[in-house]
Amino acid sequence: MQISKGVEWAAHAAALMSALPPGRGLRAEALARYHGVPGPYMAKQMQALSKAGIVHAARGKHGGYRLARPAGEITLWDVMTAIEGRKPAFTCTEIRQNGPCGAEPEQCRQKCAIAAAFHAAEAAFRDHLQAVSLVEIAAGVVADSSPDHLRDVGRWLEKEAVALG
Amino acid sequence: MQISKGVEWAAHAAALMSALPPGRGLRAEALARYHGVPGPYMAKQMQALSKAGIVHAARGKHGGYRLARPAGEITLWDVMTAIEGRKPAFTCTEIRQNGPCGAEPEQCRQKCAIAAAFHAAEAAFRDHLQAVSLVEIAAGVVADSSPDHLRDVGRWLEKEAVALG
């Protein structure tokens, strides 16, 4: 069970965008450069966030990405499912209905005990990520950062943020 | 984030083995046939359960698999990690240390807020699966089954279970 690197990248990029002033955005190339990761792969994650309505993409010469909703309304669950999709991690293929002692379909109206346990575990996982918004992430980054580091980030944003057309 | 089909198969096979009388086992081929799945792939899952100490493999003519521990001491978490490994689903690659504003390593002694949130969510997922043993799974199967179905399963086990050498 693996979560793709794209989720990590998208979460960091979204947290950085929460620090943008209103009306400003960042190009995918700048987001990639800030995080030291390949541009095309970061662009792919931004397209997925855009498709999921998490970021707004302004196209053209004055193009760039900004958050499409307040940072407090975007959770890590939103970011993860934008990248990974919403398919449950555990897929029940109803193998209890197979073979010489296969259960009849009418005996299988309740979820199989194994699927039920995995889906309950996944719900707990989801609940945790739904409780963490970009505001909490950004607050965590600020708490862990030195004043010098925060000043550098502010200057970088000032230099790189584009006025969205 | 996907859990492999092998986890589903191994969990069902382990739950079935919890119904074996002492000293008896099932061949991987019989476990595959019972669940209507390909033999070689079921054999691969049984080898993984054996490596993890969940089942005991008796080799040779009178070979077969039985649970290596009491069913109440084998959880769905044990089964899942036997098949999928214990690597966390979310891997933090410390991208906060990258790029023009990369944090210094000494500022990164605390886990990054994003990694911390994912790992807390994974811990909740794990806690759920660790609370469900093969005894609970088997009880769920029994509760969902008709008396006829349970009699069929009992007869099948009587016919297929081998005395382990």
Side-chain angles (χ1 to χ4, degrees), chain A residues 55-132:
Chain A
V55 300
H56 173 75
R59 301 193 184 281
K61 194 181 162 193
H62 299 291
Y65 291 97
R66 64 169 170 79
L67 297 182
R69 305 198 295 267
E73 294 173 19
I74 298 170
T75 71
L76 283 185
W77 177 252
D78 298 329
V79 173
M80 178 176 143
T81 52
I83 306 299
E84 295 259 322
R86 289 184 171 273
K87 199 177 161 221
F90 183 87
T91 303
C92 175
T93 63
E94 284 289 339
I95 67 173
R96 62 180 166 173
Q97 296 187 35
N98 294 354
C101 304
E104 297 296 326
E106 60 265 29
Q107 291 183 308
C108 298
R109 287 196 196 107
Q110 300 285 332
K111 216 183 256 190
C112 150
I114 291 168
F118 274 98
H119 291 163
E122 288 186 54
F125 177 86
R126 182 195 66 216
D127 290 349
H128 261 72
L129 294 184
Q130 281 183 333
V132 183

Side-chain angles (χ1 to χ4, degrees), chain A residues 1 8 84 93 101 107 149, chain B residues 1 8 84 93 101 146 149:
Chain A
M1 186 172 85
E8 181 192 20
E84 295 259 322
T93 63
C101 304
Q107 291 183 308
H149 181 241
Chain B
M1 187 174 85
E8 182 192 18
E84 295 258 324
T93 62
C101 305
S146 68
H149 181 242

Side-chain angles (χ1 to χ4, degrees), chain B residues 24-148:
Chain B
R24 298 286 183 122
L26 285 166
R27 293 182 306 276
E29 174 275 319
L31 285 164
R33 191 159 25 90
Y34 182 90
H35 294 101
V37 299
Y41 195 53
M42 180 60 95
K44 196 181 150 201
Q45 312 315 319
M46 291 308 105
Q47 285 154 17
L49 292 188
S50 171
K51 204 174 159 191
I54 291 172
V55 299
H56 173 76
R59 301 195 184 279
K61 196 182 161 193
H62 299 290
Y65 290 97
R66 64 169 171 79
L67 297 182
R69 306 198 294 267
E73 293 173 18
I74 299 170
T75 71
L76 283 184
W77 177 252
D78 298 329
V79 172
M80 179 177 141
T81 52
I83 306 298
E84 295 258 324
R86 289 184 171 272
K87 199 177 162 220
F90 183 87
T91 303
C92 175
T93 62
E94 285 288 337
I95 68 174
R96 62 180 166 173
Q97 296 187 35
N98 294 353
C101 305
E104 298 295 327
E106 59 265 30
Q107 291 182 308
C108 299
R109 287 196 197 108
Q110 300 284 333
K111 215 183 256 191
C112 150
I114 292 168
F118 274 99
H119 291 163
E122 288 187 55
F125 177 86
R126 183 195 64 217
D127 290 349
H128 261 72
L129 293 184
Q130 281 183 334
V132 182
S133 79
L134 297 181
V135 166
E136 278 87 46
I137 297 299
V141 172
V142 169
D144 290 345
S145 299
S146 68
D148 280 359

